[in-house]
Amino acid sequence: MKSISDQNPPLAPGLYLVATPIGNLEDITLRALRILRSVDRIACEDTRQTQKLLNHFAITTPTVSYHLHNEGQRSVELVEQLKDGASIAVVSDAGTPGIADPGHELVTAAISAGIPIFPIPGANAAINALIASGLATEHFTFHGFLPAKEGQRRTALEAFRKQASESALQQAGTHIFYEAPHRILDTLADIESTFGPAQPVVIAREVTKLHEEFLRGTVADLRSQLGSRASVRGEIVLLLSPIAAQSTGLLTRSIAEEVAALMQSESLSEKDALKRIARERGIGKSEAYRELQREQNRLR
Ligand code: SAM
């Protein structure tokens, strides 16, 4: 029989990308704990946040900060230490490093320097929301966060709608986004006006935590469900199925294209065409007008 020391040989030098829990502290692997205990240092998105996890598991490995604002400089320093034979773990505040979190820059720098990279698998909000969503899992696209500003968010959604009319969205399967709770209602409104009220959506909130919740329905249903709450809190993954979007009939044309078509085919004024489109899409007239302006500006 192997002794414990045989089973746990000394750690090879290199960069270890260690996934940590996204809410439930039990969601850390035995291997992740061993790596965090054994490396020379742990590069953390936020050392204070990671210290809570390390204290919980009585891990005393030294930490160093590695975040969005020092990623470039810190990558250079860490790669120098790796070249000298160090073993370094990278962790983010929660989940898998490098996925909507720091990590990628250090990985590319380490690869260029010929350093071995070891992924240590574990929690990730997008994948766990997807598998429980009931939406297609065979194909999916992860987009990270949608833009926070309304205009840019509408432009991004409009781009997906355009791809859909070329059937790329269908092939891309389920679309996965991270979203902040204070923006979710605005984002759902933008999804409704871009893809139509029947667009199926899943909201995965507080995954693995005490108040975990999956809301499944049309975008119009979920908008009214969440809108009736005093506030929306917690962390959210938003998932979009392409299927009903294709059947709404809204996908083949942008607002500008629909306005032009109505003006030509029914001799409507731009104002009346916009009024009709707004009614059909379930959005306000001024919202339709703003979208038309954005589309026209993009074409200029
Ligand atoms: N690297 C992380 C991962 O692997 O999932 C994601 C980090 S990203 C900065 C944080 C976002 O992920 C949150 O704003 C939220 O959209 C999503 N998220 C993280 N934990 C979550 C949870 N427990 N439930 C739902 N969404 C979560």
Side-chain angles (χ1 to χ4, degrees), residues 44-46 65-75 91-93 100-105 145:
C44 316
E45 183 181 8
D46 179 343
S65 73
Y66 170 70
H67 47 68
L68 203 62
H69 306 292
N70 70 1
E71 222 174 343
Q73 176 55 32
R74 200 36 69 79
S75 290
V91 298
S92 63
D93 285 355
D101 266 339
H104 178 68
E105 189 158 342
F145 287 95

Side-chain angles (χ1 to χ4, degrees), residues 89-121:
V90 178
V91 298
S92 63
D93 285 355
T96 300
I99 303 298
D101 266 339
H104 178 68
E105 189 158 342
L106 181 54
V107 169
T108 52
I111 290 171
S112 302
I115 307 292
I117 318 277
F118 305 101
I120 310 299

Side-chain angles (χ1 to χ4, degrees), residues 32-167:
L33 291 176
R34 177 172 62 82
I35 303 289
L36 292 177
R37 274 201 185 97
S38 314
V39 285
D40 295 316
R41 67 187 54 75
I42 305 171
C44 316
E45 183 181 8
D46 179 343
T47 49
R48 283 165 308 179
Q49 186 67 23
T50 299
Q51 199 56 55
K52 292 183 211 159
L53 180 80
L54 299 180
N55 290 346
H56 182 84
F57 291 106
I59 295 172
T60 54
T61 308
T63 59
V64 59
S65 73
Y66 170 70
H67 47 68
L68 203 62
H69 306 292
N70 70 1
E71 222 174 343
Q73 176 55 32
R74 200 36 69 79
S75 290
V76 175
E77 292 164 22
L78 292 172
V79 166
E80 282 310 309
Q81 295 165 14
L82 288 162
K83 280 199 216 157
D84 289 342
S87 55
I88 298 179
V90 178
V91 298
S92 63
D93 285 355
T96 300
I99 303 298
D101 266 339
H104 178 68
E105 189 158 342
L106 181 54
V107 169
T108 52
I111 290 171
S112 302
I115 307 292
I117 318 277
F118 305 101
I120 310 299
N124 167 253
I127 292 293
N128 286 286
L130 174 68
I131 59 173
S133 69
L135 300 179
T137 55
E138 197 179 3
H139 297 284
F140 59 88
T141 308
F142 172 65
H143 300 276
F145 287 95
L146 274 166
K149 291 202 175 123
E150 189 197 338
Q152 290 168 7
R153 185 168 60 231
R154 295 286 290 257
T155 302
L157 290 170
E158 191 58 36
F160 300 142
R161 194 190 63 77
K162 283 225 169 80
Q163 288 164 17
S165 61
E166 291 151 17
S167 89

Side-chain angles (χ1 to χ4, degrees), residues 7 12 143 147 158 248 254 262:
Q7 287 166 18
H143 300 276
E158 191 58 36
T248 60
S254 68
L262 282 175

